[in-house]
């Protein structure tokens, strides 16, 4: 079992930055990859990015590439999502998710993640 809790969301102006955190507990944190997803009102939950178990590799959706950065601190059981140059279209509920199976190295589908946090709201005003 893995428990996940996101924090760091809020209201920011376009062009601003936020850093989200996701604290994990339960299973050994360094044994599974982590992902970030987001869901805007009336839309499907979409992939934002992923980081491998060691943190050596990251993968991003085209819509955030170059603006968002995922990192992790395995000693603190925490994964981060640094979001820069935010746009109004980045407004969404952001979720972290754990992939404990690791079957697909750059998994981007919701079904490939086993555990989810409750989400943290990010609102970007224009």
């Amino acid at each position: 079992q893995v428990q996940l809790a996101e924090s760091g969301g809020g209201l920011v102006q376009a062009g601003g930055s936020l850093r989200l955190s996701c604290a994990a507990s339960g299973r050994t944190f360094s044994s599974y990859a982590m992902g970030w997803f987001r869901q805007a009102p009336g839309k499907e939950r979409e992939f934002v990015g992923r980081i491998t178990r060691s943190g050596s590799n990251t993968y991003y959706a085209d819509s955030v590439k170059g603006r968002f950065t995922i990192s992790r601190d395995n000693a603190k059981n925490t994964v981060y999502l640094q979001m820069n140059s935010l746009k109004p279209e980045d407004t969404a509920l952001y979720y972290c998710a754990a992939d404990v199976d690791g079957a697909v190295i750059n998994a981007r589908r919701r079904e490939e993640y086993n555990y989810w946090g409750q989400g943290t709201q990010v609102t970007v005003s224009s």
Side-chain angles (χ1 to χ4, degrees):
Q1 288 283 350
V2 175
Q3 294 79 42
L4 302 171
E6 304 93 339
S7 61
L11 174 64
V12 63
Q13 289 188 333
S17 298
L18 277 177
R19 188 176 82 154
L20 306 184
S21 299
C22 172
S25 60
R27 190 163 171 163
T28 303
F29 185 61
S30 59
S31 69
Y32 52 88
M34 292 291 298
W36 284 97
F37 287 74
R38 66 186 182 185
Q39 188 167 14
K43 295 188 176 182
E44 294 289 320
R45 192 172 300 187
E46 65 174 0
F47 173 79
V48 173
R50 172 183 173 92
I51 188 165
T52 53
R53 291 175 294 179
S54 66
S56 58
N57 293 96
T58 52
Y59 307 89
Y60 299 96
D62 288 343
S63 58
V64 306
K65 199 174 295 182
R67 299 188 298 123
F68 290 12
T69 302
I70 298 176
S71 61
R72 66 190 294 164
D73 186 337
N74 285 347
K76 295 183 177 179
N77 292 352
T78 302
V79 63
Y80 304 97
L81 180 65
Q82 177 67 45
M83 304 185 295
N84 298 329
S85 302
L86 283 162
K87 305 175 182 179
E89 50 263 44
D90 294 319
T91 295
L93 190 60
Y94 282 71
Y95 298 89
C96 62
D99 173 11
V100 302
D101 298 324
V104 178
I105 190 64
N106 62 343
R108 295 172 180 246
R109 298 185 303 123
R110 293 177 55 180
E111 295 75 15
E112 291 165 326
Y113 292 79
N114 312 96
Y115 300 95
W116 294 81
Q118 294 299 306
T120 185
Q121 179 68 38
V122 172
T123 303
V124 184
S125 63
S126 57

